[in-house]
């Protein structure tokens, strides 16, 4: 199981509502809110607050996990996210592990997964939960078609004892609705992925939606057509066949992970055989922070470079995330100017031009001026 800590107002904390007695009224209203949250993820926090009150607990949390890897969670209050994180990563967290293994089709208490002796001796309870005023939880798991497990958990002090049979029965009355809402959220996620890739297909752009680490969640036909000669759909992530491009892609995925600054990365892929060079644009997704069902982390767009004329500075800047100064110099180099004449046209020194050119090489993945000219002219990175 998991926990989350929240100090609700005293009127809620002191309320002695018997859930079974109000199921027809409070329970029905909560069911409506559960289905609203399935379509509007930002509402899950409010649903959890109501669910905790319904169960007679001050805290509740919803977690989405893939095996023992926790992809995300939403709690009754953002102030206690750190506590949830600490609990999930606590060494020897048999509470959650056994809950996932049990797969009980209903809500269960701590004593359904641990013994009284373990509660008294395990560091998780003795040193972490109980000293903080917790240690009595009730939780259930729901499996969704994506392979994820959704955990819904309410938590209170160990001193208050386990949740009684009437409370568990009332929560079990809500469980089918929680399960359907989780299923609906997962399906809506896949619909959003399909819509994104189909829209980009209509615009003539090969594209894929990637999950954490770069694993393919969905791809449109144009991008699939680039496999396996340009891209490779590996079990762990999407990869570029060209080793140099794949290194840049791998580094971009790492730099765009959780907690990092959102930035678009562009990765050039060398021309091969009769195929033109391709620019991959990796765009991080920064959606609703509380939408724990969304596994999408990136949109990847592939742009073949097939122009017969050297593109202008504005096009070069967009293709490679260059600064305006870098784009102007790159366009002049691509048009045939050497660094010194290009510097004179731009009003900068040759040394400055060489420094800027080095940065352009790094961003475009080339190492020579001739390769840059060939790339921008659509001839590829040969030699």
């Amino acid at each position: 199981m998991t926990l989350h800590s929240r100090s609700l107002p005293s009127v809620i904390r002191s309320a002695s509502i018997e859930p079974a007695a109000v199921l027809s009224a409070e329970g029905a209203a909560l069911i409506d809110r559960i289905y609203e949250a399935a379509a509007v993820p930002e509402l899950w926090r409010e649903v959890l607050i109501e669910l905790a009150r319904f169960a007679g607990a001050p805290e509740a949390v919803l977690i989405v996990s893939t095996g023992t890897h926790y992809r995300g969670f939403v709690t009754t209050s953002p102030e206690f996210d750190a506590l949830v994180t600490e609990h999930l990563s606590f060494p020897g967290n048999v509470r959650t592990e056994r809950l996932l293994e049990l797969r009980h089709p209903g809500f269960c208490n701590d004593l359904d997964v641990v013994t009284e002796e373990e509660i008294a001796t395990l560091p998780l309870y003795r040193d972490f939960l109980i000293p903080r005023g917790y240690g009595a939880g009730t939780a259930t798991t729901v499996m969704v078609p994506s392979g994820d497990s959704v955990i819904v958990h309410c938590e209170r002090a160990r001193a208050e004892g386990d949740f009684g049979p009437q409370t568990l029965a009332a929560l079990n009355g809500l469980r089918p609705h929680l399960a359907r809402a989780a299923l609906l959220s997962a399906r809506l996620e896949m619909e959003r992925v399909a819509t994104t890739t189909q829209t980009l297909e209509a615009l003539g752009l090969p594209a894929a939606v990637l999950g954490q680490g770069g694993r393919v969640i969905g791809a449109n036909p144009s991008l699939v057509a680039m496999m396996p000669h340009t891209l490779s759909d590996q079990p762990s992530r999407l990869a570029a066949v060209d080793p140099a491009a794949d290194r840049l892609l791998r580094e971009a995925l790492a730099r765009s992970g959780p907690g990092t600054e959102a930035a678009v990365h562009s990765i050039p892929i060398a021309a091969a055989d009769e195929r033109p060079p391709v620019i991959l644009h990796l765009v991080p997704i920064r959606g609703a922070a509380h939408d724990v069902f969304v596994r999408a982390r990136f949109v990847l767009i592939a742009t073949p470079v097939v122009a017969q004329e050297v593109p202008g500075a504005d096009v070069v800047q967009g293709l490679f995330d260059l600064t305006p100064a870098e784009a102007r110099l790159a366009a002049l180099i691509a048009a045939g100017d050497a660094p010194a004449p290009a510097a004179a046209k731009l009003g900068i020194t040759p040394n400055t031009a060489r420094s800027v050119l080095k940065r352009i090489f790094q961003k475009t993945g080339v190492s020579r001026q001739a390769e840059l000219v060939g790339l921008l002219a659509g001839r590829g990175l040969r030699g």
Side-chain angles (χ1 to χ4, degrees), residues 38 142-146 150 177-189 293:
V142 176
M143 298 295 295
V144 295
S146 63
V150 178
H177 304 287
L178 290 166
R180 294 188 193 108
L183 175 62
L184 179 59
S185 290
R187 287 181 174 173
L188 286 175
E189 174 199 355
F293 292 96

Side-chain angles (χ1 to χ4, degrees), residues 4-10 13 58-59 76-77 80 134:
H4 173 70
S5 175
R6 171 180 168 83
S7 296
L8 293 177
S10 58
R13 292 173 57 86
E59 299 92 25
T76 43
S77 172
F80 292 90
Y134 306 109

Side-chain angles (χ1 to χ4, degrees), residues 241-329:
V241 174
D242 179 79
D246 190 55
R247 175 180 57 80
L248 294 174
L249 177 58
R250 186 173 62 250
E251 293 174 355
L253 289 167
R255 289 197 301 270
S256 301
T260 61
E261 182 181 355
V264 178
H265 299 279
S266 297
I267 300 101
I269 298 180
D273 300 327
E274 299 302 318
R275 291 183 291 273
V278 175
I279 310 300
L280 300 180
H281 302 280
L282 186 69
V283 184
I285 295 175
R286 296 292 188 265
H290 308 317
D291 191 353
V292 294
F293 292 96
V294 171
R295 294 178 295 152
R297 293 294 179 266
F298 310 93
V299 173
L300 182 133
I301 302 171
T303 306
V305 182
V306 295
Q308 297 302 310
E309 298 180 357
V310 175
D314 55 344
V315 176
V316 173
Q317 182 179 352
L319 283 175
F320 297 100
D321 306 327
L322 303 180
T323 67
E326 292 167 348
R328 288 192 293 270
L329 178 61

Side-chain angles (χ1 to χ4, degrees), residues 73-359:
F73 61 83
V74 58
T75 70
T76 43
S77 172
E79 290 80 12
F80 292 90
D81 286 352
L83 183 60
V84 177
T85 302
E86 187 178 354
H87 178 270
L88 293 177
S89 60
F90 197 92
N93 184 4
V94 297
R95 191 191 206 197
T96 307
E97 293 172 1
R98 292 179 186 176
L99 175 69
L100 291 170
E101 293 172 358
L102 186 62
R103 294 193 178 185
H104 176 61
F107 279 82
C108 57
N109 284 318
D110 283 74
L111 288 178
D112 293 312
V113 295
V114 295
T115 65
E116 291 277 12
E117 181 181 359
E118 287 176 315
I119 290 175
T121 58
L122 285 175
L124 176 66
Y125 287 90
R126 184 192 63 203
D127 303 330
F128 181 70
L129 292 173
I130 295 176
R132 288 166 170 80
Y134 306 109
T138 180
T140 188
T141 58
V142 176
M143 298 295 295
V144 295
S146 63
D148 294 329
S149 298
V150 178
I151 303 172
V152 180
H153 177 97
C154 299
E155 180 77 16
R156 68 187 184 190
R158 188 71 221 161
E160 297 183 47
D162 286 326
F163 293 82
Q166 285 185 301
T167 300
L168 295 182
L171 289 172
N172 284 334
L174 296 177
R175 186 180 184 276
H177 304 287
L178 290 166
R180 294 188 193 108
L183 175 62
L184 179 59
S185 290
R187 287 181 174 173
L188 286 175
E189 174 199 355
M190 297 312 298
E191 288 293 331
R192 288 192 290 267
V193 168
T195 299
T196 298
T197 56
Q198 289 168 7
T199 300
L200 293 171
E201 175 77 18
L203 295 174
L205 296 172
V209 175
L210 309 181
Q212 188 62 41
R215 186 170 59 86
V216 176
I217 296 176
N220 61 21
S222 294
L223 189 123
V224 172
M226 299 175 68
M227 302 177 186
H229 52 75
T230 303
L231 297 171
S232 173
D233 184 10
Q234 300 180 358
S236 59
R237 66 176 178 90
L238 183 71
V241 174
D242 179 79
D246 190 55
R247 175 180 57 80
L248 294 174
L249 177 58
R250 186 173 62 250
E251 293 174 355
L253 289 167
R255 289 197 301 270
S256 301
T260 61
E261 182 181 355
V264 178
H265 299 279
S266 297
I267 300 101
I269 298 180
D273 300 327
E274 299 302 318
R275 291 183 291 273
V278 175
I279 310 300
L280 300 180
H281 302 280
L282 186 69
V283 184
I285 295 175
R286 296 292 188 265
H290 308 317
D291 191 353
V292 294
F293 292 96
V294 171
R295 294 178 295 152
R297 293 294 179 266
F298 310 93
V299 173
L300 182 133
I301 302 171
T303 306
V305 182
V306 295
Q308 297 302 310
E309 298 180 357
V310 175
D314 55 344
V315 176
V316 173
Q317 182 179 352
L319 283 175
F320 297 100
D321 306 327
L322 303 180
T323 67
E326 292 167 348
R328 288 192 293 270
L329 178 61
L332 289 175
I333 295 295
D337 284 335
K345 290 181 180 180
L346 295 174
I348 59 177
T349 67
N351 285 338
T352 299
R354 283 190 286 270
S355 297
V356 173
L357 190 57
K358 288 181 180 180
R359 296 200 302 270

